[in-house]
Amino acid sequence: MPVSRRTLIAGSVAGAAALGAGVAWERSGAAMPGTLGGADFKRGHALRTGAKFPTPSSETHTGIAILGGGIAGLSAAWTLAEAGYRDFRLFELEDRAGGNARSGRNAVSAYPLGAHYLPIPNAETRGVIRLLERLGIVTGWQDGKPVYDPYQLVSDPDERLLHLGKWQAGLIPTVGLTPRDTADLNAFFAAMAAYRDRVDNGKPAFAVPMALSSDAADLRALDRLSFAAWLDQRGWHSPILRGHVRYACRDDYGTEPEHVSAWAGIHYFAGRRGHAANADGDTVLTWPEGNGHLAGRMAARLKDHIACGQIVHKVAPAGDGVTIDAFAATRGVSQRIHAKAAVLAMPHFVAARVAPKGSVDATGFGYAPWIVANVTVDRAPGGQGVALAWDNVSWTSKSLGYVVATHQSLDAVPGASVLTWYMPLSDLAPAAARRLMLDRPLAEWQKVVARDLIETNPDLAGAIRRIDVWRWGHAMIRPIPGFFFDGAREAAARPQPPLFFAHSDLSGLSLFEEAHYRGTLAAQQAMAQLDIPHDDLLA
């Protein structure tokens, strides 16, 4: 990977001194500073339990209503704005738009609360490339390939793995391997390369967005198996290969390989063919706040059209259009919105609760719960072996490790950092994991996070100053076997004018590119229905 950026540390010495003050938490017995946050489950559960909302006390009109302000909803709004259309409103349940791409900030750094990077897009991911060009992240073109702003490409070193007591580069163990490990790894990655390079009638076997993938029968048949079963069929049982595959499935899907469709598992390894003039194909774009950078910039352009804190609880056809009832959580009042069309850019299980009865079936749509912690430390972790990287993973941990928010920062407190720690609760049934997530208090989560970090980096003992925990009850769709091609997912994505559907769960892959594709597509479908002139931003 070419050197893309070096971390420059600048900021407040006074802020560093404040972080270092006081007695170490581990020795003092005092409560660890921090907060317990997350998606607003009380608002969400009001929909689940069928809470009674006030009768609308006011009415308003708009051309197109967008219901949901995650990346899909923001992409739908962006698409309308790009067409020069202004008569739209976006209604978001949370107090800030962005979905699982939201971010936070403290005295040390901005940091992600969820999604923290965007891979260099494939050539077919034209819609996202156009967006990045509009945001100035793509700065030009060379030999038919986009040129990316080097300051927004991940800095070296980008990944390291703690294995057998020593940090190594990359995320696959390189020492202590048996001949069987080596043979299985080589065979697996050769198979993934063949899938990556395969093209059927001009379509990649595995594309991003997934709707552009080949529909060859042998590829679609992969969806009938779990990824673990597919590996079993090939006799690949190396614990090193299986451990890496488990990491991959938990990383992108929050789900164990035994419950991941083989199609999705292979897509993780074979779907990326990054297209760039000045970066390797496996390079990623990242920022201190992760994908909050993208969500924030999109929302800033659209701010005059966004209403947050709105619990949309009823959507009903009305003549040639639709009526939407929304409860303003902070003001305690409801309003009725009359629209010509509505884009439901919300998880499909939520859409099933607000759409006309019987019009939306969310059977088979399941979601993975996650814990994300942002840990403020007064010194960066070290460790034997390769130097601290952006992404740091322990082979033996139940977590997925941590990314270093200040790795990309040009404005950080000297010596201090924020480590964003991730753990999918994939070893429990999702419902049980969500219950644990709600029942376990902040102090207990802080102990889980601190113990894991100190086991991984003993030098962090005495350096942890604050742990802020964020809970995602429905962080991402679980791509279980049969989900992609049994017909239900495709049916769920079909428009029902004046209703149009947009969310990454309609793709079965919780990726920025999929959310962007679904939002852009739904907005264009709505504009076509209403005879609004527009260009195809996906072509």
Side-chain angles (χ1 to χ4, degrees):
M1 179 185 298
V3 174
S4 58
R5 181 178 186 177
R6 292 299 175 192
T7 305
L8 303 177
I9 302 300
S12 166
V13 175
L19 283 169
V23 180
W25 167 63
E26 295 91 340
R27 296 192 299 272
S28 71
M32 166 63 70
T35 56
L36 184 62
D40 195 320
F41 67 89
K42 291 183 179 179
R43 293 179 187 175
H45 288 180
L47 287 173
R48 185 185 72 181
T49 58
K52 299 297 183 182
F53 295 98
T55 301
S57 57
S58 63
E59 297 190 7
T60 187
H61 292 76
T62 191
I64 298 176
I66 300 168
L67 313 180
I71 295 302
L74 290 172
S75 297
W78 182 278
T79 302
L80 297 178
E82 287 290 274
Y85 186 72
R86 297 289 179 266
D87 188 17
F88 67 90
R89 295 286 290 166
L90 185 153
F91 299 88
E92 164 59 25
L93 176 79
E94 303 285 343
D95 291 331
R96 279 195 302 138
N100 66 11
R102 276 179 287 168
S103 60
R105 177 180 291 274
N106 64 16
V108 175
S109 178
Y111 49 77
L113 294 172
H116 57 286
Y117 68 96
L118 175 65
I120 292 291
N122 294 358
E124 73 268 14
T125 319
R126 296 184 183 93
V128 172
I129 294 173
R130 281 193 173 91
L131 172 67
L132 298 178
E133 195 168 19
R134 291 282 279 128
L135 294 176
I137 297 168
V138 169
T139 60
W141 293 81
Q142 180 180 322
D143 299 327
K145 295 182 178 181
V147 176
Y148 286 87
D149 176 3
Y151 286 93
Q152 302 185 61
L153 297 169
V154 68
S155 303
D156 290 333
D158 62 337
E159 295 174 335
R160 67 172 183 169
L161 175 71
L162 182 63
H163 183 241
L164 300 180
K166 189 174 182 179
W167 290 100
Q168 59 149 77
L171 297 181
I172 304 173
T174 55
V175 298
L177 273 60
T178 67
R180 176 64 179 270
D181 292 330
T182 300
D184 283 3
L185 286 166
N186 288 341
F188 174 79
F189 284 107
M192 295 304 102
Y195 278 125
R196 185 186 63 240
D197 296 339
R198 175 175 163 177
V199 178
D200 299 318
N201 298 320
K203 288 186 174 183
F206 295 89
V208 182
M210 62 82 63
L212 303 183
S213 301
S214 167
D215 60 359
D218 65 314
L219 298 178
R220 293 172 71 94
L222 294 166
D223 188 41
R224 301 176 196 146
L225 294 173
S226 74
F227 201 16
W230 184 82
L231 293 171
D232 289 342
Q233 283 187 350
R234 277 142 191 81
W236 296 335
H237 298 288
S238 159
I240 298 297
L241 172 60
R242 293 297 182 116
H244 184 62
V245 164
R246 180 172 186 253
Y247 166 83
C249 290
R250 297 176 75 227
D251 180 46
D252 255 27
Y253 310 132
T255 304
E256 300 289 332
E258 292 77 14
H259 305 295
V260 168
S261 160
W263 192 93
I266 295 171
H267 188 282
Y268 178 96
F269 292 97
R272 298 289 183 186
R273 299 172 305 282
H275 184 67
N278 63 327
D280 291 343
D282 59 356
T283 306
V284 303
L285 295 153
T286 192
W287 306 267
E289 66 271 41
N291 288 7
H293 177 83
L294 299 170
R297 292 191 63 189
M298 294 172 76
R301 177 187 179 186
L302 304 163
K303 65 182 187 301
D304 293 339
H305 298 269
I306 296 175
C308 291
Q310 302 286 323
I311 305 177
V312 171
H313 55 90
K314 183 179 180 181
V315 177
D320 293 334
V322 61
T323 60
I324 299 139
D325 289 352
F327 176 70
T330 57
R331 296 190 294 117
V333 297
S334 290
Q335 66 171 322
R336 175 159 293 168
I337 302 102
H338 298 269
K340 297 175 183 177
V343 173
L344 277 65
M346 54 183 63
H348 208 60
F349 78 97
V350 178
R353 291 178 182 145
V354 304
K357 187 175 181 179
S359 64
V360 173
D361 182 5
T363 303
F365 282 72
Y367 300 81
W370 282 65
I371 294 293
V372 179
N374 279 285
V375 183
T376 305
V377 295
D378 60 14
R379 61 176 178 267
Q384 183 182 2
V386 301
L388 181 68
W390 165 67
D391 189 13
N392 305 265
V393 177
S394 168
W395 183 254
T396 58
S397 173
K398 287 179 65 176
S399 79
L400 294 180
Y402 59 89
V403 295
V404 181
T406 54
H407 192 71
Q408 297 290 109
S409 180
L410 296 175
D411 184 20
V413 175
S417 189
V418 176
L419 312 179
T420 305
W421 178 95
Y422 292 88
M423 186 170 72
L425 303 181
S426 58
D427 56 350
L428 295 172
R434 281 189 278 273
R435 176 49 53 194
L436 172 67
M437 180 180 290
L438 294 179
D439 289 347
R440 181 175 282 173
L442 171 63
E444 292 301 313
W445 281 121
Q446 289 175 323
K447 288 178 183 177
V448 170
V449 176
R451 287 169 184 163
D452 184 74
L453 279 174
I454 292 172
E455 286 178 2
T456 302
N457 283 97
D459 55 324
L460 285 177
I464 298 175
R465 297 302 169 214
R466 180 181 181 91
I467 301 177
D468 295 292
V469 176
W470 192 269
R471 301 166 296 179
W472 292 106
H474 303 82
M476 56 181 59
I477 188 70
R478 297 177 74 237
I480 62 175
F483 183 76
F484 289 94
F485 305 121
D486 70 353
R489 180 192 60 82
E490 296 99 325
R494 291 189 193 109
Q496 300 177 30
L499 303 182
F500 302 86
F501 300 96
H503 195 273
S504 62
D505 60 6
L506 299 174
S507 293
L509 304 169
S510 183
L511 303 175
F512 181 95
E513 302 96 322
E514 298 294 346
H516 178 270
Y517 173 81
R518 293 294 170 181
T520 303
L521 179 63
Q524 293 183 169
Q525 290 169 336
M527 287 191 288
Q529 179 73 18
L530 300 176
D531 293 323
I532 298 168
H534 63 279
D535 294 329
D536 184 354
L537 299 185
L538 299 172

